[in-house]
Amino acid sequence: MSILVIGTVAYDAVSTPEHNQRQSLGGSATFFSLAASYFAPVSVVAVVGEDFRGEDLAMLQGHQIDTRGLVRARGKTFRWVAEYGADFNEAQTLDTQLNVLADFNPILAPEARTPSFLFLANIDPDLQQSVIGQLQAKPRLVAGDTMNFWIQGKSESLSKVIGSVGTLLINEGELRMLTREPNLVKGARQVLQQGPRMLVVKRGEYGAICFTREDVFATPAYPLETVVDPTGAGDTFAGGFMGYLAATEDLGIENVRRAMIVGSVMASFAVESFGPERLQGLTPQAIQQRYHEFWRLTYFDGTGQRPLPIRGG
Ligand code: AMP
């Protein structure tokens, strides 16, 4: 099944303790689409400016990403300037230049109005809502993401979006900001009362946790010795997660658990290079192998029923 994604396509300028202001292609829709494209057909709805490079468009198309919904508008492409300190789990946004995003009004083509899987990647919640409003049939899964910029700047619009999605994927810090609840489990329960049936909390190097009303599942992040640039890890996680669900067409809880691992696999590749470089040249073997390594990393017992040698037990 195919996936429709609306999100940002950006030029990022990111500094880390080792690298000063590296410029690269970025944006929530970019990382998401690349990761998902390894599993399912993806169509992207986004806006870029006149400065958008032909080679970047060709790269996306080279991954069989349908870019007919990628509008080129007068002005400059959305730009994000950020830095990471020693803590790679949280980016400090130094500047957000909306540029062409400020006047973007996404219009879905008639054939794009009945997607099976819809991902509302991090972008202005009014645009996320506008896409929901244009749907002509209920998708099997609508998932969404957001970040501090919109939680602080457009909280009312964002509440409406959260009330309309089946699944919310969000960073741990942003969940705390959204719910004003320091305890993760209580915060998760709050979100699950607002509409979504599933909440995936992304926790950077600590992995991710999926909450539903019936189940909680946690995955670690892949322990990497060298993390070059964590930008896009969350969007890439979402791409692997949704891509796998769309490819398998199974939204059962066991399959969602596997999707959590696939998301973690794809995110582990994203952080190994600047921008989406590493995500561009993955082979099926490399993805499969890391999936296996995750299984080794997390497997500990066939049943979880093994009797423990508890004294007096
Ligand atoms: P992540 O590291 O997965 O949270 O996402 C990083 C990407 O989000 C970068 O490539 C940015 O271009 C993009 N981004 C940054 N700020 C915003 C924003 N306010 N709205 C949408 N996308 C953004």
Side-chain angles (χ1 to χ4, degrees), residues 1-2 114-118 135 137-143 166-167 197 242 245-246 248-252:
M1 282 186 176
S2 58
T114 53
S116 307
F117 284 73
L118 172 65
L135 297 177
K138 197 171 177 298
R140 277 198 71 191
L141 181 66
V142 179
T167 298
R197 272 169 286 114
M242 291 277 284
L245 290 177
T248 52
E249 300 183 20
D250 173 3
L251 299 180

Side-chain angles (χ1 to χ4, degrees), residues 157-277:
S157 305
L158 185 59
S159 300
K160 271 201 214 146
V161 172
I162 293 174
S164 320
V165 298
T167 298
L168 182 71
L169 294 100
I170 193 170
N171 281 349
E172 184 173 11
E174 281 145 8
L175 175 70
R176 294 212 165 92
M177 183 183 276
L178 182 73
T179 59
R180 299 199 183 94
E181 169 55 64
N183 180 282
L184 184 70
V185 181
K186 285 187 185 157
R189 197 173 306 140
Q190 244 191 64
V191 169
L192 293 178
Q193 278 161 2
Q194 287 169 38
R197 272 169 286 114
M198 186 151 68
L199 170 70
V200 177
V201 184
K202 300 171 285 178
R203 309 180 64 224
E205 67 177 311
Y206 306 112
I209 308 188
C210 176
F211 294 91
T212 63
R213 280 171 207 156
E214 302 81 34
D215 194 45
V216 181
F217 178 69
T219 159
Y222 188 70
L224 287 167
E225 205 161 309
T226 313
V227 173
V228 176
D229 172 18
T231 304
D235 311 309
T236 305
F237 178 99
F241 179 83
M242 291 277 284
Y244 179 78
L245 290 177
T248 52
E249 300 183 20
D250 173 3
L251 299 180
I253 196 64
E254 291 302 321
N255 206 48
V256 166
R257 287 174 169 231
R258 282 189 283 275
M260 290 283 291
I261 302 291
V262 177
S264 308
V265 164
M266 299 309 283
S268 77
F269 288 121
V271 304
E272 286 181 332
S273 72
F274 253 96
E277 257 166 56

